[in-house]
């Protein structure tokens, strides 16, 4: 458990550094630019409300990116250790689990609350959005769990094709939720094309962060395995 | 990967036996504090400084 946590934090820190750098070099300038466009287009200057300078925002946001990676990595390590026996995929288990994490933490909330393009305004206050966001993370976790459980169950008895089919059902249900969900953003800050491009950027960067965590985690985890410190018998593993 | 055949329930039982509640609560509190600061902090200074990050990570609570 402690070894897994260590691997997770290391993976998270490395992935977080890359992600923080990405936030610094790509996200901040893009957000700045889009907000600039938005404040010139309409009269709801989103950037007028800032109480700190742009440099501070960029630096702290990059640091936030690093911490975000560490947070996800730590949670990933512990949860992976607990749920590993139930995961399909053999050698690819960390990737399966990272996909589940991405689904729960990012994709599920996005079905109702899509990533806000700079310049758009949320329709509802944060008192409604915060519980909704947390609730959707739980929903995403349930969807991922049902999907994985369905796959392992069905592929054992009815073959792999049936397993994949059953695994897709919860994902399709989540997709339907995104279609029937009412819009939560307003404002014409950016054009539809720019808005879509920004959302793809956000989506791919989060998916990349999870993938990086899984890659690095798997590397460290195998190292522990080879050294024998990650012994399968619980008695041989110290609690530190 | 490991060749062990224990189940998810075994893993939870082992973790419960090895880690005392105080440690678990401390870890949970730290994670919650970090998550809260990054995602939901509404205090203007911290909130605005993390603005780009929340946009970039697609976190709606900004």
């Amino acid at each position: 458990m402690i070894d897994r946590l260590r691997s997770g934090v290391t993976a998270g820190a490395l992935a977080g550094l890359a992600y923080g750098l990405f936030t610094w070099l790509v996200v901040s300038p893009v957000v700045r630019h889009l907000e600039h466009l938005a404040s010139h287009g309409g009269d709801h200057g989103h950037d007028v409300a800032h109480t700190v300078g742009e440099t501070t925002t960029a630096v702290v946001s990059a640091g936030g990116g690093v911490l975000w990676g560490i947070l996800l990595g730590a949670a990933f390590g512990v949860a992976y250790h607990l749920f590993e026996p139930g995961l399909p995929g053999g050698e690819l288990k960390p990737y399966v689990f990272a996909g589940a994490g991405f689904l729960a933490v990012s994709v599920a909330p996005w079905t109702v609350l899509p990533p806000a393009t700079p310049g758009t305004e949320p329709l509802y206050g944060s008192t409604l959005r915060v519980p909704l966001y947390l609730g959707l993370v739980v929903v995403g976790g349930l969807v991922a769990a049902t999907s994985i459980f369905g796959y392992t169950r069905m592929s054992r008895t009815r073959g792999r094709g049936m397993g994949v089919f059953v695994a897709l059902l919860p994902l399709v249900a989540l997709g339907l939720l995104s279609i029937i969900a009412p819009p939560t953003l307003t404002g014409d800050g950016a054009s539809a094309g720019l808005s879509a491009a920004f959302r793809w950027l956000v989506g791919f960067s989060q998916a990349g962060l999870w993938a990086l965590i899984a890659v690095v985690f798997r590397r460290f985890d195998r190292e522990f395995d080879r050294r024998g410190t990650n012994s399968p018998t619980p008695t041989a593993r110290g609690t530190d | 990967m490991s060749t062990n055949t224990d189940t998810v329930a075994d893993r939870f039982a082992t973790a419960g036996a090895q880690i005392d509640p105080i440690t678990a609560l401390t870890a949970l509190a730290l994670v919650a504090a970090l998550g809260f600061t990054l995602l939901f902090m509404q205090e203007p200074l911290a909130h605005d400084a993390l603005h780009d990050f929340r946009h970039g990570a697609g976190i709606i609570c900004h």
Side-chain angles (χ1 to χ4, degrees):
Chain A
M1 171 83 120
I2 299 297
D3 285 338
R4 248 65 188 265
L5 176 60
R6 206 173 290 152
S7 300
V9 170
T10 316
L14 287 175
L17 279 176
Y19 185 68
L21 204 64
F22 176 79
T23 306
W24 173 292
L25 294 176
V26 180
V27 175
S28 280
V30 168
V31 168
R32 199 69 52 241
H33 180 67
L34 286 178
E35 280 184 345
H36 192 68
L37 283 181
S39 66
H40 280 258
D43 51 356
H44 60 280
H46 193 86
D47 47 355
V48 177
H50 288 317
T51 50
V52 287
E54 291 184 359
T55 322
T56 319
T57 304
V59 171
V60 176
S61 288
V66 178
L67 289 176
W68 180 235
I70 294 174
L71 180 67
L72 293 183
F76 180 89
V78 171
Y80 179 78
H81 177 74
L82 291 174
F83 291 105
E84 192 207 357
L87 292 176
E91 284 281 298
L92 299 175
K93 278 179 182 182
Y95 300 106
V96 173
F97 200 61
F102 175 58
L103 187 76
V105 176
S106 290
V107 176
W110 288 343
T111 56
V112 179
L113 305 163
T117 317
T120 55
E121 298 289 338
L123 274 178
Y124 309 104
S126 52
T127 41
L128 177 68
R129 279 181 290 135
V130 170
L132 190 58
Y133 189 91
L134 291 176
L136 284 164
V137 170
V138 174
V139 169
L142 288 177
V143 165
T146 330
S147 181
I148 290 174
F149 185 71
Y151 174 80
T152 44
R153 246 315 175 43
M154 286 317 244
S155 55
R156 200 175 297 150
T157 50
R158 308 256 176 95
R160 181 165 285 194
M162 194 63 190
V164 171
F165 176 72
V166 171
L168 283 176
L169 291 179
L171 303 183
V172 171
L174 193 66
L176 286 179
L177 179 65
S178 77
I179 295 169
I180 60 167
T184 50
L185 291 167
T186 179
D188 44 8
S191 68
L194 268 180
S195 192
F198 184 76
R199 279 182 190 162
W200 281 110
L201 176 79
V202 169
F204 272 112
S205 67
Q206 289 303 297
L209 177 65
W210 281 101
L212 208 56
I213 289 177
V215 170
V216 181
F217 178 84
R218 180 157 172 259
R219 222 191 96 78
F220 279 93
D221 201 42
R222 293 176 86 188
E223 220 161 80
F224 278 126
D225 260 356
R226 228 175 292 126
R227 290 211 310 247
T229 48
N230 211 3
S231 158
T233 50
T235 43
R237 208 184 294 131
T239 51
D240 274 27
Chain B
M1 308 300 282
S2 45
T3 51
N4 46 342
T5 51
D6 57 3
T7 63
V8 175
D10 290 342
R11 291 286 173 94
F12 272 95
T14 314
Q18 284 185 343
I19 295 165
D20 67 304
I22 301 296
T23 314
L25 274 179
T26 312
L28 207 62
L30 284 174
V31 166
L34 183 53
F36 176 80
T37 311
L38 284 178
L39 306 186
F40 308 128
M41 181 91 111
Q42 297 294 322
E43 203 277 316
L45 262 183
H47 188 78
D48 270 6
L50 282 165
H51 176 87
D52 291 357
F53 162 72
R54 271 192 313 276
H55 264 306
I59 295 159
I60 191 70
C61 316
H62 78 280

